[in-house]
Short mmCIF file of all heavy atoms in Angstrom, two decimals:
data_model
loop_
_atom_site.label_atom_id
_atom_site.label_comp_id
_atom_site.label_asym_id
_atom_site.label_seq_id
_atom_site.Cartn_x
_atom_site.Cartn_y
_atom_site.Cartn_z
N ALA A 54 84.10 76.80 -16.53
CA ALA A 54 83.39 75.80 -15.74
C ALA A 54 84.39 74.75 -15.26
O ALA A 54 85.36 74.44 -15.94
CB ALA A 54 82.30 75.13 -16.57
N GLY A 55 84.12 74.23 -14.07
CA GLY A 55 84.96 73.18 -13.51
C GLY A 55 84.09 72.02 -13.03
O GLY A 55 82.92 72.21 -12.69
N ILE A 56 84.69 70.84 -13.01
CA ILE A 56 83.98 69.65 -12.53
C ILE A 56 84.94 68.79 -11.74
O ILE A 56 86.11 68.64 -12.12
CB ILE A 56 83.34 68.87 -13.71
CG1 ILE A 56 82.42 67.77 -13.21
CG2 ILE A 56 84.40 68.35 -14.67
CD1 ILE A 56 81.53 67.19 -14.31
N ASP A 57 84.45 68.27 -10.60
CA ASP A 57 85.35 67.45 -9.79
C ASP A 57 85.06 65.97 -10.00
O ASP A 57 84.20 65.60 -10.80
CB ASP A 57 85.27 67.84 -8.31
CG ASP A 57 83.92 67.53 -7.67
OD1 ASP A 57 83.14 66.74 -8.23
OD2 ASP A 57 83.66 68.08 -6.59
N PHE A 58 85.78 65.14 -9.27
CA PHE A 58 85.71 63.70 -9.48
C PHE A 58 84.31 63.17 -9.20
O PHE A 58 83.88 62.18 -9.80
CB PHE A 58 86.74 63.00 -8.58
CG PHE A 58 86.84 61.53 -8.82
CD1 PHE A 58 87.46 61.05 -9.96
CD2 PHE A 58 86.33 60.62 -7.91
CE1 PHE A 58 87.57 59.68 -10.20
CE2 PHE A 58 86.44 59.25 -8.12
CZ PHE A 58 87.05 58.79 -9.29
N GLY A 59 83.60 63.84 -8.30
CA GLY A 59 82.26 63.40 -7.95
C GLY A 59 81.18 63.95 -8.86
O GLY A 59 80.00 63.65 -8.67
N GLY A 60 81.58 64.73 -9.84
CA GLY A 60 80.61 65.29 -10.77
C GLY A 60 80.02 66.62 -10.35
O GLY A 60 79.13 67.14 -11.02
N ARG A 61 80.51 67.16 -9.26
CA ARG A 61 80.04 68.49 -8.84
C ARG A 61 80.63 69.54 -9.77
O ARG A 61 81.75 69.41 -10.24
CB ARG A 61 80.41 68.74 -7.38
CG ARG A 61 79.61 67.90 -6.39
CD ARG A 61 80.17 68.00 -4.98
NE ARG A 61 81.43 67.29 -4.89
CZ ARG A 61 81.54 66.02 -4.55
NH1 ARG A 61 80.47 65.30 -4.29
NH2 ARG A 61 82.73 65.46 -4.46
N THR A 62 79.86 70.61 -9.99
CA THR A 62 80.25 71.60 -10.98
C THR A 62 80.30 73.00 -10.40
O THR A 62 79.68 73.29 -9.37
CB THR A 62 79.26 71.58 -12.16
OG1 THR A 62 77.94 71.86 -11.67
CG2 THR A 62 79.25 70.22 -12.85
N SER A 63 81.03 73.87 -11.09
CA SER A 63 81.11 75.27 -10.70
C SER A 63 81.25 76.08 -11.99
O SER A 63 81.89 75.62 -12.95
CB SER A 63 82.32 75.50 -9.78
OG SER A 63 82.33 76.82 -9.30
N TYR A 64 80.66 77.28 -12.00
CA TYR A 64 80.61 78.09 -13.21
C TYR A 64 81.00 79.54 -12.93
O TYR A 64 80.76 80.07 -11.85
CB TYR A 64 79.20 78.09 -13.81
CG TYR A 64 78.72 76.73 -14.23
CD1 TYR A 64 77.99 75.92 -13.36
CD2 TYR A 64 79.01 76.23 -15.50
CE1 TYR A 64 77.56 74.65 -13.74
CE2 TYR A 64 78.58 74.98 -15.90
CZ TYR A 64 77.85 74.20 -15.02
OH TYR A 64 77.44 72.95 -15.40
N ALA A 65 81.57 80.16 -13.94
CA ALA A 65 81.79 81.60 -13.88
C ALA A 65 80.43 82.29 -13.88
O ALA A 65 79.49 81.81 -14.52
CB ALA A 65 82.62 82.04 -15.08
N ASP A 66 80.34 83.41 -13.19
CA ASP A 66 79.06 84.13 -13.12
C ASP A 66 78.53 84.48 -14.50
O ASP A 66 77.33 84.48 -14.74
CB ASP A 66 79.23 85.40 -12.29
CG ASP A 66 79.40 85.11 -10.80
OD1 ASP A 66 79.06 83.99 -10.36
OD2 ASP A 66 79.87 86.01 -10.08
N SER A 67 79.44 84.76 -15.42
CA SER A 67 79.03 85.21 -16.75
C SER A 67 78.34 84.12 -17.58
O SER A 67 77.68 84.44 -18.58
CB SER A 67 80.24 85.74 -17.52
OG SER A 67 81.22 84.72 -17.65
N VAL A 68 78.47 82.86 -17.18
CA VAL A 68 77.88 81.77 -17.96
C VAL A 68 76.85 80.96 -17.19
O VAL A 68 76.23 80.06 -17.76
CB VAL A 68 78.96 80.83 -18.52
CG1 VAL A 68 80.01 81.61 -19.29
CG2 VAL A 68 79.60 79.99 -17.42
N LYS A 69 76.67 81.28 -15.92
CA LYS A 69 75.71 80.53 -15.10
C LYS A 69 74.32 80.57 -15.72
O LYS A 69 73.86 81.62 -16.16
CB LYS A 69 75.66 81.11 -13.68
CG LYS A 69 76.74 80.60 -12.76
CD LYS A 69 76.60 81.20 -11.37
CE LYS A 69 77.72 80.76 -10.46
NZ LYS A 69 77.66 81.41 -9.14
N GLY A 70 73.68 79.42 -15.75
CA GLY A 70 72.34 79.33 -16.32
C GLY A 70 72.32 79.15 -17.82
O GLY A 70 71.26 78.87 -18.39
N ARG A 71 73.49 79.33 -18.47
CA ARG A 71 73.54 79.19 -19.94
C ARG A 71 74.43 78.02 -20.36
O ARG A 71 74.15 77.37 -21.37
CB ARG A 71 74.07 80.47 -20.57
CG ARG A 71 73.23 81.70 -20.28
CD ARG A 71 73.70 82.91 -21.09
NE ARG A 71 75.07 83.30 -20.78
CZ ARG A 71 76.07 83.37 -21.66
NH1 ARG A 71 75.86 83.04 -22.93
NH2 ARG A 71 77.29 83.76 -21.28
N PHE A 72 75.50 77.76 -19.62
CA PHE A 72 76.45 76.70 -19.95
C PHE A 72 76.32 75.55 -18.96
O PHE A 72 76.02 75.76 -17.79
CB PHE A 72 77.88 77.23 -19.89
CG PHE A 72 78.26 78.21 -20.96
CD1 PHE A 72 77.32 78.78 -21.81
CD2 PHE A 72 79.59 78.57 -21.14
CE1 PHE A 72 77.68 79.68 -22.78
CE2 PHE A 72 79.97 79.46 -22.11
CZ PHE A 72 79.00 80.03 -22.94
N THR A 73 76.57 74.34 -19.45
CA THR A 73 76.56 73.16 -18.61
C THR A 73 77.77 72.29 -18.92
O THR A 73 77.98 71.91 -20.08
CB THR A 73 75.29 72.34 -18.82
OG1 THR A 73 74.13 73.14 -18.56
CG2 THR A 73 75.26 71.13 -17.88
N ILE A 74 78.55 71.99 -17.88
CA ILE A 74 79.70 71.10 -18.03
C ILE A 74 79.27 69.70 -17.59
O ILE A 74 78.52 69.54 -16.62
CB ILE A 74 80.90 71.60 -17.20
CG1 ILE A 74 82.15 70.75 -17.47
CG2 ILE A 74 80.58 71.66 -15.72
CD1 ILE A 74 83.42 71.30 -16.82
N SER A 75 79.73 68.71 -18.32
CA SER A 75 79.41 67.32 -17.96
C SER A 75 80.52 66.42 -18.49
O SER A 75 81.35 66.85 -19.29
CB SER A 75 78.05 66.91 -18.54
OG SER A 75 78.08 66.94 -19.95
N GLN A 76 80.52 65.20 -18.00
CA GLN A 76 81.54 64.26 -18.46
C GLN A 76 80.96 62.87 -18.62
O GLN A 76 80.02 62.49 -17.91
CB GLN A 76 82.73 64.23 -17.50
CG GLN A 76 82.38 63.85 -16.07
CD GLN A 76 83.57 64.03 -15.12
OE1 GLN A 76 84.60 64.59 -15.48
NE2 GLN A 76 83.41 63.56 -13.91
N ASP A 77 81.50 62.15 -19.57
CA ASP A 77 81.15 60.75 -19.79
C ASP A 77 82.43 59.95 -19.58
O ASP A 77 83.28 59.90 -20.46
CB ASP A 77 80.61 60.56 -21.21
CG ASP A 77 80.11 59.15 -21.47
OD1 ASP A 77 80.59 58.22 -20.80
OD2 ASP A 77 79.26 58.98 -22.35
#
Side-chain angles (χ1 to χ4, degrees):
I56 189 167
D57 67 16
F58 186 73
R61 289 170 289 269
T62 59
S63 186
Y64 298 92
D66 288 343
S67 59
V68 306
K69 277 181 183 176
R71 300 188 298 122
F72 291 11
T73 303
I74 186 172
S75 63
Q76 58 188 9
D77 185 334

